[in-house]
Amino acid sequence: MNPTEKTEATTSSREEWPLWEVFVRSKAGLDHKHSGSLHAPDAKLALEMARDVYTRRQEGTSIWVVRSDQIVASDPGDKDMYFDPMEDKVYRHPTFYKLPDEVNHM
Amino acid sequence: MQDSITVSTDPSVRYLLRLGDTCLVHAQRLGEWCGHAPIIEEDIALTNMALDLIGQARGILTRAGQLGGQQFDEDQLAFLREERDYLNPTLVELPRGDFAITTVRNLMVAVLLELLWTRLQASTDAEVAAVAGKAVKEARYHHRHAADWLVRLGDGTAESRRRIEAALHRLWPYSRELFQSDAIDDAASASGLGPRWAELRDPWLAVMRDALGAAGLEMPAETAFLSFGRMGIHSEHMGHMLAEMQYLQRSYPGGAW
């Protein structure tokens, strides 16, 4: 989205500003991690507010903001079907396998 | 009650007080938004800015207190002077008003300070140059944040447009004072302590014209009105602000936490 593009929510002062999810990278090489969310009228101000709210104590070197309504989430009702089948697949963890003593540095 | 201190009339001290007091008084007014901003995110942004400015004021007031044969610390200078010894331009002491007033003033001051700090990085005073090196980054962000709000209020609703125009016309006359030169500026320019503020007028106007243009606003014409805060002659609002700002140190000398 164009950072200065007006969002629907700014067209009426009675409506709430959209919600944004904030992701902060703490230092180069690490992943951006979810820090929280905030309301902002558009992408550019969302970035500035994220800077002011979530990086006040040197938490960040880079910020992403994403409109919360653009995130597609799994349904909590699908939890059993989605995640329980993995419970008994211990062989998917590398620790399941015994390495011969001759193999070093693993 | 704690007595007032008398400050040196040394032009270097006066030059630094003009700068340090601009940061200090602007920060005091910004701090008044704490708990009152229109949204929580902006509440935090405004107080972040106030804290940046307090840090800048500390550095500059500390240095001012060491010059001119005096030995005052930052707290004495911040809290124990009489009104006439504060040398901030009148612009920063005006009541915080609504969010439009704050946005326009933040922009006017941030652009001024950004230009000043940029020049002061080359100050012959190493401590001033060091403060400037850190402060210029802060001012750059304050400038951007205020300019972005200006666009959203200028190009927002009819109500936001009405308010931002009113704020602009209310505050603009106070910009003229910023760029008046006197012997204090001349001395700073000659010693290399810092530029005459008047030298910043053209770049300031250029940046303001761009920012106002982006928000669909016209730059007001220069008025005949001239304020004199930088000479120590303040508006009726200054005394009330100082009473609140100085109360603790006056009542409980040396109080700290």
PDB file of all heavy atoms in Angstrom, chain B residues 115 202 212 242:
ATOM      1  N   LEU B 115      17.853  23.128  12.007  1.00  0.00           N
ATOM      2  CA  LEU B 115      18.827  23.993  11.321  1.00  0.00           C
ATOM      3  C   LEU B 115      19.917  24.469  12.287  1.00  0.00           C
ATOM      4  O   LEU B 115      21.105  24.493  11.942  1.00  0.00           O
ATOM      5  CB  LEU B 115      18.114  25.209  10.709  1.00  0.00           C
ATOM      6  CG  LEU B 115      17.157  24.911   9.544  1.00  0.00           C
ATOM      7  CD1 LEU B 115      16.271  26.115   9.254  1.00  0.00           C
ATOM      8  CD2 LEU B 115      17.957  24.521   8.298  1.00  0.00           C
ATOM      9  N   ASP B 202      16.154  32.137   5.861  1.00  0.00           N
ATOM     10  CA  ASP B 202      15.800  31.691   4.513  1.00  0.00           C
ATOM     11  C   ASP B 202      15.598  30.177   4.427  1.00  0.00           C
ATOM     12  O   ASP B 202      14.584  29.722   3.879  1.00  0.00           O
ATOM     13  CB  ASP B 202      16.844  32.178   3.490  1.00  0.00           C
ATOM     14  CG  ASP B 202      16.738  33.681   3.257  1.00  0.00           C
ATOM     15  OD1 ASP B 202      15.695  34.266   3.651  1.00  0.00           O
ATOM     16  OD2 ASP B 202      17.679  34.284   2.713  1.00  0.00           O
ATOM     17  N   LEU B 212       4.078  23.327   4.510  1.00  0.00           N
ATOM     18  CA  LEU B 212       2.733  23.890   4.421  1.00  0.00           C
ATOM     19  C   LEU B 212       2.103  23.536   3.076  1.00  0.00           C
ATOM     20  O   LEU B 212       0.919  23.182   3.002  1.00  0.00           O
ATOM     21  CB  LEU B 212       2.778  25.414   4.610  1.00  0.00           C
ATOM     22  CG  LEU B 212       3.171  25.893   6.016  1.00  0.00           C
ATOM     23  CD1 LEU B 212       3.440  27.389   6.026  1.00  0.00           C
ATOM     24  CD2 LEU B 212       2.079  25.553   7.027  1.00  0.00           C
ATOM     25  N   LEU B 242       6.126  29.437  34.688  1.00  0.00           N
ATOM     26  CA  LEU B 242       7.289  29.306  35.573  1.00  0.00           C
ATOM     27  C   LEU B 242       6.865  28.960  37.001  1.00  0.00           C
ATOM     28  O   LEU B 242       7.538  28.194  37.689  1.00  0.00           O
ATOM     29  CB  LEU B 242       8.107  30.608  35.580  1.00  0.00           C
ATOM     30  CG  LEU B 242       8.914  30.901  34.317  1.00  0.00           C
ATOM     31  CD1 LEU B 242       9.683  32.204  34.482  1.00  0.00           C
ATOM     32  CD2 LEU B 242       9.880  29.756  34.002  1.00  0.00           C
TER      33      LEU B 242
END
